């Protein structure tokens, strides 16, 4: 767990009770001040204008894959990844009390939650699925407006926060559904080097045969485990691609040596963040949230 000061605020996409809110609580602790943002662009805006000192942003999902626009947002705005958190996402169906599935005519949630739970509703063709900006916001509106016949797909936290009993648990098609969140700042968090064992890099290779393979060989030779590679087009240059790579390592000194070599061998090299690998640590949430 990491701690921010009482005067620091954390920008998240969504509202209290959302998965982003839970990730922020899990990473920083319960006593936090958040700025609720309608979308990820606003999260970045709050960081850049100084209203928030930290940001929490989903970056990939075990089912849907990488959230490519968020990689671009981090890169384009020169944000620093200072940490990460993995959460096992469970989607629950909830509504006002004294109702069953037979009473529900409409279900609201974020489009991704609706997509991940689509199979559940094959047996309920009369239920209308409606997109909401956020899972917890859908639950909040049902609570505020006391909407009967309307259910939300959201978390246990949203159920408890807005007083909506769960009428169907874990309705997502694939039961093991993990999301990786990154913690962002406008400056490097300056972790002690002994605590750093993961980095997110962006690079472009020269336009010649074997350039990418040469870079990957450097990672191998310096004993860095590449846990992810993702390409994105360089907007200013058609048919040119940048590569975003996550690497895990045991020796920070070896990592630095590799970076010095890669700086020479690539057309462009940028470090988006150096931080602690959380996937295999005690912070990885396996609970049904």
């Amino acid at each position: 767990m990491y701690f921010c000061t009482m005067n620091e605020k954390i920008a998240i996409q969504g509202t209290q009770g959302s998965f982003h809110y839970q990730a922020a609580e899990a990473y920083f602790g319960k006593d936090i001040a958040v700025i609720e943002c309608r979308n990820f662009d606003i999260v970045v805006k709050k960081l850049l204008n100084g209203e928030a000192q930290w940001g929490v942003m989903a970056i990939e999902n075990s089912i849907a894959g990488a959230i490519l626009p968020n990689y671009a947002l981090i890169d384009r705005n020169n944000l620093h990844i200072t940490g990460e958190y993995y959460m096992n996402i469970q989607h629950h169906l909830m509504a006002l009390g004294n109702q069953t599935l037979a009473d529900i005519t409409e279900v609201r949630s974020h489009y991704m939650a609706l997509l991940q739970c689509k199979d559940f509703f094959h047996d309920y063709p009369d239920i209308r699925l409606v997109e909401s900006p956020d899972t917890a916001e859908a639950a909040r509106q049902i609570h505020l407006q006391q909407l009967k016949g309307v259910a939300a797909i959201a978390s246990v936290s949203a159920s408890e926060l807005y007083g909506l009993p769960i009428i169907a648990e874990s309705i997502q098609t694939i039961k093991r559904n993990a999301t990786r969140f990154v913690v962002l700042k406008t400056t490097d968090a300056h972790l002690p080097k002994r605590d750093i064992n993961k980095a997110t890099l962006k690079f472009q290779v020269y336009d010649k045969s074997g350039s990418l393979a040469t870079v990957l060989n450097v990672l191998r030779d310096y004993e860095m485990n590449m846990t992810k590679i993702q390409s994105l087009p360089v907007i200013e240059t058609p048919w040119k691609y940048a590569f975003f790579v996550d690497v895990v390592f045991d020796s920070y000194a070896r990592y630095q040596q590799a970076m010095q070599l890669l700086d020479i061998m690539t057309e462009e090299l940028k470090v988006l963040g150096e931080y602690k690998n959380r996937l295999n640590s005690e912070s990885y949430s396996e609970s049904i949230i």
Side-chain angles (χ1 to χ4, degrees):
M1 184 181 294
Y2 290 74
F3 296 93
C4 53
T5 68
M6 293 181 63
N7 295 325
E8 291 181 319
K9 295 183 179 180
I10 305 162
I12 63 167
Q13 185 272 323
T15 60
Q16 188 175 1
S18 68
F19 293 111
H20 276 85
Y21 186 84
Q22 290 183 68
E25 278 193 321
Y27 192 86
F28 291 103
K30 295 289 185 180
D31 190 19
I32 56 174
V34 300
I35 298 176
E36 300 174 347
C37 303
R38 187 174 181 85
N39 55 50
F40 293 117
D41 292 278
I42 298 176
V43 170
V44 172
K45 180 180 178 181
K46 297 298 183 182
L47 282 168
L48 295 179
N49 67 19
E51 290 183 55
Q53 289 69 48
W54 302 85
V56 174
M57 179 182 290
I59 198 70
E60 62 179 307
N61 177 265
S62 59
I63 299 172
I67 305 175
L68 297 182
N70 287 357
Y71 276 98
L73 275 175
I74 294 168
D75 175 37
R76 186 167 63 246
N77 293 284
N78 295 312
L79 298 176
H80 294 259
I81 299 174
T82 63
E84 64 179 2
Y85 188 77
Y86 291 81
M87 180 180 289
N88 184 16
I89 304 294
Q90 298 290 311
H91 293 304
H92 307 295
L93 192 67
M94 59 197 67
L96 293 174
N98 300 316
Q99 295 185 102
T100 67
L101 261 174
D103 301 310
I104 303 303
T105 59
E106 179 178 303
V107 170
R108 301 178 182 181
S109 195
H110 188 269
Y111 80 93
M112 187 61 73
L114 293 173
L115 181 63
Q116 293 176 358
C117 300
K118 187 177 179 180
D119 288 356
F120 176 83
F121 295 101
H122 285 171
D123 295 331
Y124 305 95
D126 295 330
I127 293 180
R128 188 161 64 103
L129 304 181
V130 179
E131 289 186 16
S132 175
D134 178 64
T135 55
E137 178 63 19
R140 189 170 78 95
Q141 289 302 318
I142 291 172
H143 165 71
L144 290 176
Q145 300 175 35
Q146 290 294 291
L147 299 174
K148 290 189 175 182
V150 181
I153 299 172
S155 67
V156 167
S157 177
S159 168
E160 295 171 348
L161 185 63
Y162 300 116
L164 302 181
I166 293 173
I167 57 178
E169 296 183 350
S170 300
I171 65 171
Q172 71 276 3
T173 302
I174 301 176
K175 298 310 176 186
R176 184 170 175 82
N177 175 21
T179 293
R180 176 185 174 221
F181 300 84
V182 290
V183 179
L184 303 171
K185 282 182 72 69
T186 57
T187 58
D188 191 355
H190 301 295
L191 281 175
K193 290 181 174 56
R194 65 178 181 274
D195 293 336
I196 298 173
N197 60 358
K198 188 171 183 179
T200 297
L201 315 174
K202 174 200 172 187
F203 61 84
Q204 295 180 36
V205 297
Y206 291 104
D207 186 16
K208 61 181 182 180
S209 177
S211 294
L212 178 58
T214 301
V215 170
L216 299 183
N217 285 338
V218 170
L219 300 182
R220 179 200 62 195
D221 293 343
Y222 282 82
E223 300 171 314
M224 287 190 284
N225 180 24
M226 185 177 66
T227 59
K228 185 172 184 62
I229 182 168
Q230 184 72 53
S231 65
L232 281 178
V234 179
I235 304 300
E236 302 83 4
T237 309
W239 316 120
K240 183 78 171 179
Y241 290 86
F243 294 91
F244 294 81
V245 171
D246 288 340
V247 292
V248 178
F249 44 86
D250 294 324
S251 168
Y252 188 82
R254 292 280 285 169
Y255 158 74
Q256 285 186 309
Q257 292 169 358
M259 291 299 294
Q260 292 172 359
L261 188 54
L262 290 178
D263 192 39
I264 300 171
M265 300 175 61
T266 57
E267 188 174 345
E268 177 188 336
L269 178 65
K270 182 179 181 180
V271 178
L272 300 183
E274 299 176 348
Y275 47 98
K276 182 177 178 61
N277 177 27
R278 307 296 290 179
L279 180 57
N280 295 317
S281 71
E282 69 283 355
S283 72
Y284 178 42
S285 175
E286 288 286 359
S287 61
I288 297 178
I289 299 173

